[in-house]
Amino acid sequence: MENFGPITPGQVSLLVGFVPVIVAWLYSELLVRQNNSNASEIRCSDADSVGNDSKIQLLEGGTSLTPPSEVRRSSPSFLRCLLMDKDFLLQNHSTLRSLTEFGAILSLYYVCDRTNLFGESDQYYSRDLFLFLYFLLIVVAAITSLKKHQNQSPGSGKSVRYLNRDQTEEWKGLMQVLFVMYHYFGALETYNAIRTFIAAYVWMTGFGNFSYYYVRKDFSLSRFAQMMWRLNFFVAFCCIALDNHYMFYYICPMHTFFTLMVYCALGLFNKYNKYGWAIAAKIGACFLVIAVVWEVPGVFDFVWHPFAFLLGYSDPDESEPHGPMDEWHYRSGLDRYIWILGMIYAYYHPTVERWMQKLEETRVWLQMLIKASIVAVCFVVGYLWYEYVFKLDRRTYIAYHPYTSWIPITVYIVLRNITQQFRNYTLALFGWLGKITLETYISQCHIWLRTGGPDKRARKNLSLIPNYPMLNFLLTTAIYVTVAHRVFGLTNRLKMAFVPSGDDKRMLCNIVVAAIAAIVLYCFSLVVFNVPKMLA
């Protein structure tokens, strides 16, 4: 099995770090089996004493025979894991299993993408096939997963359901399918549409985060850490395991930055968030900061140059040389304003719901007239945008995109919510796919497509069934979506274990231990790499 690219110290440290985790998990599995066996033997016995009854209950609860006083030991969790403490291993059996499965998935990504164990195939695009597959999936989703929702809107307490969670998840799923198909088939002619989809994702970052922080007023450290974990845990390990820069997965730093902006905007002086003038001032400040950094020459380089170690990136296959921060400037600049529009839409969300409720309660003929007028305006505006902006060539469209991407987003939102029937129904299949957009975005490069080297863009498809492109597409897609869904579940389970809600002390302790372990492992890997050179 040939390996594409040299092994790095980061990959060695990751491998060394997972070895004790795997050993601990295997030992915990053995302990669980032993306990289950002992519990079965006790249940079969005729002992009826109180002591035996309590022992059975203790064993059936999935813990050991060790008295509770010994379970609550004062030793740090990290040391207890290294010392193979039985009680600790039994208590954290599911976490160890999740970590082991996560490590196995990273190994699978490496094998599929960076070795020649599996083949690869060229990308082939046919507009007919591309659209057929997409609309076929919509038809299947409509037949099998059309779902009616009856729950009420949290803002108004009525069944308006304007821009409800089920609807936004469906929206993300509809866009994500086209987004990944664009990469798989190399559908370059759909580039402008993909740019609009990414703008919609960023819009949702502003909309969703503003809605949460404005309504819940939860600016706690644990909530912030959980959000950062959701956005960066998986991608961080992929960067280490596959030796890619952070900006290779540009969606992650983009969403992280815009999430930080929303958090800071509402978190600073948050006691004034109940005043409209304060929200207006904060949104205005966001516009001002973005405009100065991205529009004034020289400011972007001055602000972001210190972060070049994190956000720098250049494609090894690009023929034209680019600066390390050009990719970040290009990606972040395209959608620099749309997240602020998402905040504005979120702020006025309750007001729009009240308007819609009043509209639904008006006489039928007036309601139909108003809705028909709104639909007509949307079609006219959408057509003008399509004709004079969307149909432009790629380079020209990019110049207009930061200032016009709100138009198709707004048109979609209005048309999708124009009637109560539209708002009540969603395609659950796309809603399910919408929950795992981050995982499908990252995973596509390594288990569905192939990059073939560090920081290289995926320009080939993974081939498990050579010479049968559609069968191969079916098989690899099934594996790809299944694994992405597993990663989504693992990320959430590990988040609850390492970044618990409402326990900042434990969370900070976990962060310190993780940082120390990472430093020790990396130093060890550096020694392993440098010893042969010193001896030579």
Side-chain angles (χ1 to χ4, degrees):
M1 183 175 66
E2 183 182 355
N3 175 48
F4 302 140
I7 301 299
T8 66
Q11 292 169 335
V12 172
S13 60
L14 191 64
L15 177 62
V16 173
F18 269 109
V19 168
V21 172
I22 296 172
V23 173
W25 168 67
L26 291 174
Y27 187 34
S28 71
E29 286 283 352
L30 178 62
L31 293 175
V32 168
R33 289 179 179 274
Q34 289 178 348
N35 271 7
N36 290 338
S37 177
N38 292 338
S40 299
E41 292 177 3
I42 293 175
R43 279 194 293 267
C44 294
S45 68
D46 295 329
D48 57 352
S49 65
V50 175
N52 283 343
D53 289 343
S54 61
K55 184 182 293 184
I56 294 173
Q57 292 174 2
L58 184 63
L59 288 169
E60 289 179 341
T63 59
S64 69
L65 292 172
T66 309
S69 60
E70 295 185 20
V71 173
R72 295 188 293 270
R73 297 182 181 180
S74 58
S75 302
S77 299
F78 182 67
L79 291 178
R80 293 179 66 188
C81 181
L82 290 179
L83 295 173
M84 295 295 173
D85 182 82
K86 293 183 179 181
D87 298 313
F88 176 84
L89 296 180
L90 285 168
Q91 292 168 4
N92 296 276
H93 167 252
S94 61
T95 301
L96 292 170
R97 180 173 57 193
S98 296
L99 284 170
T100 302
E101 185 178 355
F102 184 74
I105 289 174
L106 292 177
S107 301
L108 177 64
Y109 285 10
Y110 186 89
V111 171
C112 289
D113 188 37
R114 299 299 170 80
T115 70
N116 63 350
L117 185 62
F118 301 109
E120 63 183 25
S121 59
D122 294 328
Q123 295 177 343
Y124 168 75
Y125 174 66
S126 165
R127 183 188 299 173
D128 179 53
L129 177 62
F130 185 85
L131 294 176
F132 167 77
L133 292 173
Y134 183 65
F135 287 113
L136 176 63
L137 183 60
I138 292 178
V139 171
V140 171
I143 294 173
T144 61
S145 68
L146 185 64
K147 184 177 181 181
K148 184 176 182 179
H149 306 275
Q150 299 289 354
N151 51 311
Q152 297 176 338
S153 298
S156 63
K158 299 180 179 180
S159 58
V160 177
R161 292 184 54 78
Y162 165 62
L163 265 180
N164 58 80
R165 181 65 178 269
D166 300 303
Q167 186 185 123
T168 55
E169 296 289 4
E170 176 203 68
W171 187 8
K172 289 195 292 185
L174 285 165
M175 295 188 297
Q176 185 70 2
V177 171
L178 276 178
F179 182 60
V180 297
M181 286 177 64
Y182 159 79
H183 288 130
Y184 188 90
F185 291 101
L188 298 180
E189 70 173 5
T190 64
Y191 176 84
N192 291 357
I194 300 304
R195 290 262 57 87
T196 306
F197 295 162
I198 295 175
Y201 287 128
V202 177
W203 179 92
M204 288 187 206
T205 296
F207 179 85
N209 283 288
F210 184 96
S211 298
Y212 178 87
Y213 291 121
Y214 185 72
V215 174
R216 300 287 183 88
K217 301 177 178 62
D218 180 10
F219 301 97
S220 63
L221 180 62
S222 59
R223 166 64 187 180
F224 174 78
Q226 287 181 346
M227 180 59 70
M228 292 298 103
W229 178 284
R230 176 73 184 94
L231 291 172
N232 293 290
F233 169 73
F234 181 38
V235 71
F237 277 91
C238 283
C239 288
I240 298 171
L242 297 154
D243 192 26
N244 288 327
H245 280 77
Y246 186 38
M247 265 304 294
F248 177 81
Y249 312 94
Y250 65 90
I251 293 292
C252 297
M254 275 178 55
H255 284 282
T256 299
F257 170 65
F258 296 131
T259 297
L260 285 172
M261 290 294 291
V262 177
Y263 180 83
C264 291
L266 291 181
L268 295 175
F269 307 106
N270 57 79
K271 64 181 180 180
Y272 298 106
N273 288 345
K274 59 184 177 181
Y275 302 110
W277 60 265
I279 296 298
K282 291 184 175 188
I283 290 176
C286 290
F287 270 115
L288 181 62
V289 169
I290 295 299
V292 169
V293 173
W294 269 267
E295 308 287 356
V296 179
V299 177
F300 179 90
D301 293 332
F302 175 79
V303 171
W304 291 108
H305 179 72
F307 301 95
F309 72 97
L310 181 65
L311 299 173
Y313 171 81
S314 58
D315 188 347
D317 293 333
E318 286 287 342
S319 57
E320 299 180 5
H322 296 284
M325 296 300 289
D326 287 352
E327 184 77 4
W328 172 242
H329 183 269
Y330 168 67
R331 298 292 184 182
S332 60
L334 283 172
D335 302 306
R336 57 186 179 270
Y337 293 116
I338 196 64
W339 63 277
I340 307 177
L341 270 295
M343 293 172 63
I344 296 173
Y345 284 36
Y347 179 71
Y348 285 104
H349 181 274
T351 303
V352 174
E353 274 205 330
R354 289 193 294 270
W355 291 348
M356 297 177 73
Q357 184 63 37
K358 291 180 180 179
L359 179 60
E360 296 295 336
E361 294 171 354
T362 59
R363 286 171 290 182
V364 176
W365 69 268
L366 181 58
Q367 183 184 142
M368 296 295 292
L369 177 62
I370 294 173
K371 289 182 178 180
S373 302
I374 294 173
V375 170
V377 170
C378 286
F379 273 110
V380 170
V381 172
Y383 172 77
L384 292 175
W385 171 82
Y386 174 79
E387 191 69 27
Y388 296 103
V389 178
F390 182 78
K391 290 172 68 175
L392 294 171
D393 64 275
R394 173 174 173 169
R395 289 185 177 274
T396 309
Y397 173 80
I398 287 174
Y400 287 98
H401 175 81
Y403 314 103
T404 60
S405 60
W406 63 273
I407 298 174
I409 292 172
T410 305
V411 168
Y412 175 83
I413 292 171
V414 173
L415 294 179
R416 182 65 178 83
N417 292 273
I418 195 65
T419 69
Q420 187 66 58
Q421 288 73 24
F422 281 6
R423 296 191 293 269
N424 282 345
Y425 285 92
T426 61
L427 300 175
L429 174 59
F430 286 101
W432 179 77
L433 290 171
K435 297 179 186 296
I436 58 173
T437 51
L438 181 66
E439 288 73 24
T440 51
Y441 165 71
I442 296 173
S443 301
Q444 65 173 327
C445 300
H446 310 299
I447 199 175
W448 204 40
L449 313 173
R450 277 173 64 92
T451 64
D455 287 334
K456 292 185 177 182
R457 294 297 183 191
R459 295 182 173 91
K460 298 285 187 178
N461 297 334
L462 179 67
S463 178
L464 301 180
I465 309 178
N467 303 320
Y468 291 91
M470 296 313 298
L471 287 177
N472 182 72
F473 172 74
L474 178 65
L475 177 60
T476 56
T477 301
I479 296 172
Y480 157 58
V481 175
T482 301
V483 172
H485 183 257
R486 288 299 301 163
V487 173
F488 171 76
L490 293 172
T491 301
N492 286 329
R493 282 197 288 273
L494 294 173
K495 177 185 69 177
M496 300 311 298
F498 293 102
V499 192
S501 300
D503 193 349
D504 290 350
K505 183 178 179 180
R506 179 183 166 194
M507 182 191 69
L508 290 173
C509 180
N510 290 339
I511 292 174
V512 171
V513 170
I516 294 174
I519 293 172
V520 170
L521 288 171
Y522 192 74
C523 291
F524 173 79
S525 66
L526 287 177
V527 171
V528 171
F529 266 74
N530 290 324
V531 164
K533 296 179 181 178
M534 295 172 62
L535 294 177

